[in-house]
Amino acid sequence: MGDPLVILGQSARAAAQSAIRAGFEPWCVDLCAARDLKAVARVRRCEPDQFPYGLMNLLGAMNPPESAQVMVTGPLENYPNLLEAIAFE
């Protein structure tokens, strides 16, 4: 597999499929954890009552490689504090 790419958001499915086509290995945390996503990526599901800040706890539990880049999907742009925390991880 390719370089690790962390994908955080409401639904990581489309981003993960695109990342795979680009040669990345997706590590996803989202609200859906769809079956088809689980078939091709490492996935954790964030409970709706924990979204979006619970994403970080689940990501920490996954322990992705430190070299992993991070990608966010909607609606995380509406949570600047969370984006700042991600940037400093």
Side-chain angles (χ1 to χ4, degrees), residues 27-86:
W27 294 59
C28 306
V29 184
D30 71 5
L31 286 173
C32 303
R35 200 174 322 147
D36 56 343
L37 178 59
K38 288 180 180 179
V40 297
R42 297 169 194 239
V43 182
R44 292 285 170 99
R45 182 177 182 270
C46 184
E47 295 296 327
D49 64 338
Q50 299 295 312
F51 187 84
Y53 295 99
L55 295 171
M56 295 301 288
N57 292 335
L58 291 166
L59 179 60
M62 286 180 83
N63 196 27
E66 288 186 26
S67 63
Q69 296 182 50
V70 178
M71 175 183 194
V72 297
T73 66
L76 295 187
E77 69 274 8
N78 296 315
Y79 299 92
N81 293 340
L82 178 63
L83 295 176
E84 187 175 316
I86 291 168

